[in-house]
Amino acid sequence: MTDTELLKARIQKSGYKIAFLAEQMELSRQGLYHKINDRHEFTASEIEKLCDLLGVDSLEERSRIFFAKEVDK
């Protein structure tokens, strides 16, 4: 499960636009939005590419963003 808020914050921090990221990942803008909003899962290669683009270097941060655990409320 993707932590949407963490990912959106990281994208904003990068200064990249969704259209640019989608193009670099060979996705449509809508396709990337669906993945960011956890409607579809990222593939391993997409996670790798997005982390490279966003400068996510640590395994800990990568895990928090892309492998967040659902918490019961």
Side-chain angles (χ1 to χ4, degrees):
M1 172 174 204
T2 301
D3 187 321
T4 300
E5 296 306 316
L6 280 178
L7 181 53
K8 286 180 178 179
R10 190 65 170 167
I11 291 169
Q12 184 175 13
K13 182 180 175 184
S14 77
Y16 289 130
K17 302 292 183 192
I18 293 295
F20 172 79
L21 294 172
E23 181 181 327
Q24 296 300 305
M25 296 177 65
E26 300 179 2
L27 294 169
S28 67
R29 281 183 12 187
Q30 183 178 12
L32 182 54
Y33 274 122
H34 281 261
K35 290 174 185 258
I36 290 170
N37 290 305
D38 209 27
R39 292 188 188 122
H40 299 288
E41 292 184 6
F42 283 97
T43 65
S45 61
E46 290 168 344
I47 291 170
E48 186 70 30
K49 180 70 174 178
L50 193 52
C51 285
D52 288 344
L53 289 165
L54 298 178
V56 177
D57 297 325
S58 78
L59 184 58
E60 181 181 333
E61 185 177 11
R62 185 180 297 205
S63 294
R64 279 193 316 241
I65 294 171
F66 295 101
F67 304 105
K69 294 181 181 175
E70 232 177 319
V71 178
D72 292 333
K73 293 183 178 184

